[in-house]
């Protein structure tokens, strides 16, 4: 780049700051080193931004990871408080927006068990609410906590068969919905989710390391294309009831006139 006085200046690319997992791990190391005692406040977000050279959003995500693993308690507008020096085995999925709902996979470690193209049998077609004989790419995943050894859940994800060519991308590039958005430009502005109670089948019990018949939370999530209105992705999550809890926080706007 040439300055007005004719001299040449060079710009040094700004070094990318650490990701939220690196920050979370370093804070966990501080916690275990007893840098703070139970009940002590942690540094403010601004202080952590300065310390790690990361964005405020990245710092917030790292604090959220600590909260979900039971280390701290957070309240809007105040500093985080240390609750425990050890992670808890149960996982709380706290949701305040569609964005946070879609970020669930970032707060867990995903282990892919299998990816295969299947044809919907009568039973599967009824379960999915699709045409019998249609093709679907099925992914089986195990969800693990960022800290801890017991699985949080077992997930089945079904992608319409016309997107089967993206199977390898889904294996290495993270959440399936994200691959569909990035590779095909599909926008998911509507996500529908339902939660039921169930019991662990022998196969799922083996994956989750629970007793057969143990109570589960069964979560179905439909990803609906903003342009076509079609269901492009269907997910089924199977979560041990004693390891997983969903917390939904919705804020009401200013009240209008009562009719």
């Amino acid at each position: 780049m040439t300055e007005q006085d004719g001299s040449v200046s060079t710009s040094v690319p700004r070094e990318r700051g650490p990701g939220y997992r690196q920050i979370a791990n370093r804070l966990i190391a501080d916690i275990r080193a007893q840098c703070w005692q139970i009940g002590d406040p942690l540094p403010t977000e601004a202080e952590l931004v300065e310390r790690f050279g990361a964005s405020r959003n990245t710092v917030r995500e790292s604090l959220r990871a600590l909260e979900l693993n039971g280390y701290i308690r957070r309240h809007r507008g105040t500093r985080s408080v240390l609750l425990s020096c050890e992670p808890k085995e149960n996982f709380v999925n706290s949701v305040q927006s569609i964005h946070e709902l879609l970020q669930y996979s970032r707060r867990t470690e995903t282990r892919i068990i299998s990816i295969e193209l299947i044809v919907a049998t009568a039973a599967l077609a009824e379960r999915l609410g699709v045409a019998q004989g249609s093709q679907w790419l099925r992914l089986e995943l195990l969800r693990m906590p960022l800290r801890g050894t017991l699985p949080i859940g077992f997930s089945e994800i079904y992608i319409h068969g016309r997107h089967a060519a993206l199977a390898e991308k889904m294996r290495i590039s993270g959440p399936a919905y994200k691959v569909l958005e990035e590779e095909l430009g599909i926008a998911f502005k509507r996500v529908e989710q339902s939660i039921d109670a169930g019991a662990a089948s022998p196969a799922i019990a083996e994956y989750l390391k629970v007793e057969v018949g143990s109570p589960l939370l069964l979560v179905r999530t439909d990803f609906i294309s903003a342009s076509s209105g079609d269901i492009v992705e269907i997910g089924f999550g199977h979560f041990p009831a004693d390891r997983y809890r969903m917390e939904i926080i919705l804020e009401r706007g200013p009240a209008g006139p009562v009719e």
Side-chain angles (χ1 to χ4, degrees), residues 110-116 138-144 151 153-156 170-171 203-204 206-208:
T110 300
R111 298 180 183 175
I112 297 178
I113 298 171
S114 67
I115 301 180
E116 60 179 338
R138 181 173 66 190
L139 295 78
E140 293 184 331
L141 316 170
L142 201 60
R143 307 287 192 183
M144 300 295 295
F154 168 77
S155 296
E156 307 164 72
M170 293 176 186
R171 183 184 297 277
I204 291 178
E206 184 176 356
Y207 283 132
L208 295 178

Side-chain angles (χ1 to χ4, degrees), residues 42-188:
L42 267 65
T44 65
E45 288 183 359
E47 290 170 338
L48 293 175
V49 165
E50 182 176 357
R51 172 185 171 184
F52 293 109
S55 69
R56 186 175 290 269
N57 285 339
T58 300
V59 166
R60 285 176 178 169
E61 190 69 19
S62 66
L63 291 174
R64 187 172 180 79
L66 264 63
E67 181 183 35
L68 292 173
N69 281 276
Y71 289 104
I72 64 173
R73 180 181 67 247
R74 297 169 64 214
H75 288 295
R76 184 175 300 177
T78 63
R79 296 166 69 175
S80 301
V81 174
L82 182 64
L83 292 182
S84 174
C85 294
E86 294 296 333
K88 60 186 179 182
E89 290 291 348
N90 62 317
F91 178 85
V92 179
N93 190 23
S94 180
V95 177
Q96 301 183 45
S97 65
I98 286 181
H99 172 74
E100 291 194 352
L101 176 65
L102 298 183
Q103 293 300 303
Y104 158 71
S105 59
R106 290 189 59 194
R107 300 194 293 271
T108 60
E109 178 187 342
T110 300
R111 298 180 183 175
I112 297 178
I113 298 171
S114 67
I115 301 180
E116 60 179 338
L117 185 64
I118 63 171
V119 175
T121 62
L124 180 60
E126 182 178 1
R127 183 185 180 205
L128 298 181
V130 300
Q132 182 177 347
S134 57
Q135 289 190 322
W136 292 82
L137 186 67
R138 181 173 66 190
L139 295 78
E140 293 184 331
L141 316 170
L142 201 60
R143 307 287 192 183
M144 300 295 295
L146 299 182
R147 297 277 177 172
T149 58
L150 292 176
I152 294 168
F154 168 77
S155 296
E156 307 164 72
I157 297 176
Y158 294 86
I159 308 293
H160 198 284
R162 62 175 171 267
H163 306 310
L166 296 176
E168 193 57 32
K169 281 275 188 181
M170 293 176 186
R171 183 184 297 277
I172 63 176
S173 300
Y177 82 88
K178 198 68 176 175
V179 174
L180 293 170
E181 286 184 327
E182 292 175 352
E183 297 294 324
L184 303 177
I186 297 175
F188 296 110

